[in-house]
Amino acid sequence: MPDKNTMFTGSTSPWPQGYRSAAVITIDFNDIYGILTQAPAVEGRDKTLSVWRYGTLRGVDRLLNLLAKKQVKTTWCLPAIVAQEQPLLLERILAEGHEVACAGDQHEDFSAMSLEEQVACARRATEKLTALCGRAPRGFRTPAGQWKPGFAQALSGMGFQWSSCWRGDDLPYFHPGTPLVELPLHYELEDEPYFAFNLSPAVPPGQSRIASYQETLANMTQDFYGYHRFGLCYLLRLHPEIMGTAGRISLLEALIDTLQQQPVWLTTAESVAEHWRSSQPANTPDHPAEIFQRLWEQNHG
């Protein structure tokens, strides 16, 4: 276990003075629209849909109560349709100082859309969220699927400062040719691979869940210590219907307690992106994202 008094081991920390690493808690609040994208056949099956409605009925409230108790600000990723249908919960999320980011209009599958359709979707969602929240969202998370080449440039042109859709790194980086900051995800720092479960339709198809709570907490804690040791950005991706249950909320509380015992900058995605844009104005030429971009351009003319 790292000593909280140990100094950052690199030449300089990329984080504000006094912090060795950064941590961001993101919460995907999709209500029933995430599973409708994943398994459209469940439409009208209220018993199945109730598994995901639990987040709206109980999970959001339980998460917000914990975050208020711990005085932690987080980033909530919402499709516009959820913000429209749950105005009281949206109002509470905003009133308690959390960031609201865009996760599409109706939680679309981006892999089934053209670039033009993806951009139009993001514009529609942005307009709706701006009207509902009183300010434009600064961040974007692909609801499902892959975005097309050129979408990062479109997001930047719409005023977005960050996205959190890709993987492949432990620190923020810029999408090449843009000031758009990517805050990378990792499956082991998400609750869904451990806990998402439904009998019919089978979620996951192999039914190889639900994981041990203590082992999951141990995994996420060990990952945090690794990120903290190397001065990285530890980013969680949680869901109200999964982490907001009566049993699992204590898992998150224990994890937050661990983070708050260390010199870690526990903040929103927007704050990390703003800091990165001001302190790290560009990728280095040898950054993998820049190399991949050059290779893609060579192969696609």
Side-chain angles (χ1 to χ4, degrees):
M1 185 180 299
D3 180 351
K4 67 180 180 179
N5 297 313
T6 302
M7 297 300 293
F8 179 73
T9 54
S11 56
T12 58
S13 170
W15 307 114
Q17 186 173 4
Y19 295 114
R20 178 171 179 149
S21 65
V24 178
I25 298 174
T26 66
I27 301 170
D28 284 11
F29 178 22
N30 298 320
D31 193 73
I32 62 173
Y33 296 98
I35 189 59
L36 286 173
T37 302
Q38 180 181 344
V42 305
E43 185 171 3
R45 298 179 61 174
D46 286 341
K47 178 182 176 181
T48 292
L49 294 176
S50 69
V51 173
W52 283 268
R53 286 197 175 108
Y54 179 87
T56 302
L57 293 171
R58 296 294 181 191
V60 170
D61 182 68
R62 198 168 280 132
L63 284 169
L64 287 172
N65 287 342
L66 173 63
L67 296 170
K69 174 184 175 182
K70 297 298 181 182
Q71 299 183 324
V72 172
K73 304 305 180 190
T74 58
T75 295
W76 291 65
C77 302
L78 276 69
I81 192 170
V82 174
Q84 289 175 314
E85 293 184 351
Q86 305 298 332
L88 296 180
L89 291 178
L90 175 66
E91 181 181 354
R92 186 178 170 196
I93 291 167
L94 293 169
E96 296 187 10
H98 302 287
E99 177 188 9
V100 171
C102 178
D105 186 12
Q106 300 190 33
H107 201 279
E108 296 80 2
D109 180 0
F110 266 41
S111 292
M113 304 167 73
S114 66
L115 174 60
E116 292 73 20
E117 290 170 332
Q118 292 176 352
V119 172
C121 172
R123 290 191 186 281
R124 286 195 308 272
T126 300
E127 291 172 1
K128 294 174 183 178
L129 287 171
T130 300
L132 291 164
C133 298
R135 60 168 286 189
R138 302 294 195 271
F140 185 88
R141 174 165 284 163
T142 309
Q146 304 278 337
W147 75 35
K148 297 293 192 294
F151 186 72
Q153 288 76 7
L155 282 180
S156 181
M158 283 185 266
F160 283 95
Q161 296 182 0
W162 63 267
S163 72
S164 184
C165 310
W166 290 24
R167 302 176 191 272
D169 207 342
D170 302 313
L171 284 169
Y173 61 91
F174 294 95
H175 284 276
T178 81
L180 185 72
V181 178
E182 181 65 29
L183 304 180
L185 298 163
H186 289 274
Y187 288 117
E188 64 271 21
L189 299 182
E190 302 184 26
D191 55 7
E192 198 168 43
Y194 290 104
F195 297 132
F197 185 89
N198 189 59
L199 280 174
S200 179
V203 177
Q207 300 277 278
S208 55
R209 300 170 186 166
I210 298 169
S212 160
Y213 291 9
Q214 287 304 312
E215 289 181 3
T216 300
L217 175 60
N219 287 355
M220 290 185 168
T221 302
Q222 183 62 40
D223 276 310
F224 165 68
Y225 285 135
Y227 277 68
H228 190 62
R229 173 189 176 191
F230 291 107
L232 307 173
C233 182
Y234 178 87
L235 189 144
L236 291 172
R237 184 185 192 179
L238 309 176
H239 299 77
E241 69 275 13
I242 298 176
M243 194 58 72
T245 67
R248 293 175 193 145
I249 197 70
S250 61
L251 185 160
L252 179 59
E253 183 170 13
L255 186 59
I256 290 174
D257 286 343
T258 297
L259 269 60
Q260 291 184 324
Q261 292 168 6
Q262 303 289 336
V264 56
W265 187 30
L266 181 53
T267 187
T268 64
E270 180 179 10
S271 294
V272 169
E274 287 179 349
H275 172 74
W276 205 258
R277 287 160 69 107
S278 63
S279 65
Q280 311 283 336
N283 297 332
T284 59
D286 61 347
H287 190 280
E290 298 294 330
I291 295 172
F292 293 147
Q293 180 66 20
R294 291 195 295 270
L295 290 172
W296 188 90
E297 290 173 353
Q298 292 172 10
N299 292 330
H300 294 81

